[in-house]
Amino acid sequence: MAGHFEATPGGGAAVALDEVEIAILRSLAVQLLELIGPGDELAEGEDPLAALFAEGPSEPPADPALARLFPEAYGDEDDELRAASAEFRRFTENDLRTRKREDALVVVRTLDALTPAGEGGAVLTLGAEECRNWLGSLNDLRLTIGTRLEVGDEDEDEESSLYRLPDSDPRKPMVMAYLWLGMLQETLVETMMP
């Protein structure tokens, strides 16, 4: 179990994490929450039904990492597609942000609830729903870090060159986190497969 998720009864998963891994995962999830931004809480007396139909932004985010997390729905090749993407974004981005925020919060909360075991580590055990939250958050973290590292969608050569970075490269810690998160994501997906 050390370092990778394993299936548990009832559709859950477990992974042994040491103190450093717990701290890194928590820090990355908190940074993701900061990047996504705060939620729109209902003001006292505000109609929850009206808030449900509140419109979101129509323009894509300027930050490349946020643009990767909240991509254009239909591309931007022409004015008609740009208009359709803007309309789609207005009615979906707020909900997508809420879901991504909830996924990252589950990561933080489950890590905060860990009880240390021997040697300062702990075994993180997730239920089936928490697995889905973790999977979403691990994906968002990899997309964000990959964007910061300028790893393209289909750029296998670029990703494989990350393995060969010298230790002196300032990107090395981010690359190590990116690759580690990918391994966690892959093993969590495997535990969720029937």
Side-chain angles (χ1 to χ4, degrees):
M1 180 185 321
H4 62 275
F5 280 98
E6 292 184 7
T8 60
V15 62
L17 300 169
D18 65 32
E19 284 182 33
V20 173
E21 293 168 329
I22 293 166
I24 290 170
L25 282 167
R26 190 181 190 292
S27 175
L28 290 172
V30 167
Q31 290 176 55
L32 181 62
L33 284 165
E34 291 170 355
L35 179 66
I36 293 169
D40 295 328
E41 302 299 322
L42 287 179
E44 190 173 328
E46 185 177 355
D47 179 10
L49 190 57
L52 181 65
F53 292 104
E55 294 181 6
S58 59
E59 294 296 318
D63 182 316
L66 283 174
R68 185 71 177 99
L69 292 175
F70 306 105
E72 292 285 30
Y74 305 110
D76 61 355
E77 289 80 39
D78 62 40
D79 289 340
E80 192 173 310
L81 288 177
R82 271 191 294 278
S85 285
E87 187 75 1
F88 185 80
R89 181 178 298 282
R90 278 184 347 146
F91 294 108
T92 61
E93 187 171 313
N94 286 346
D95 288 341
L96 187 56
R97 278 183 186 268
T98 297
R99 185 183 56 82
K100 290 178 181 302
R101 195 176 300 106
E102 288 170 359
D103 288 348
L105 281 170
V106 167
V107 170
V108 171
R109 288 177 182 143
T110 55
L111 291 171
D112 286 350
L114 285 176
T115 305
E119 300 296 317
V123 174
L124 173 71
T125 303
L126 304 171
E129 186 61 33
E130 291 170 326
C131 285
R132 285 186 279 284
N133 296 124
W134 265 76
L135 191 56
S137 199
L138 288 171
N139 186 60
D140 292 342
L141 287 168
R142 280 191 37 91
L143 287 173
T144 301
I145 293 172
T147 301
R148 298 289 192 237
L149 291 171
E150 298 179 351
V151 175
D153 288 342
E154 298 166 12
D155 199 351
E156 290 179 25
D157 291 335
E158 176 67 29
E159 189 165 333
S160 67
S161 71
L162 294 176
Y163 288 100
R164 297 185 297 278
L165 279 180
D167 289 342
S168 60
D169 192 306
R171 299 173 299 164
K172 186 73 173 200
M174 195 181 301
V175 167
M176 297 304 293
Y178 176 78
L179 297 173
W180 176 57
L181 291 170
M183 184 272 308
L184 285 175
Q185 183 180 17
E186 183 178 336
T187 60
L188 183 54
V189 166
E190 289 170 359
T191 68
M192 296 171 72
M193 302 290 265

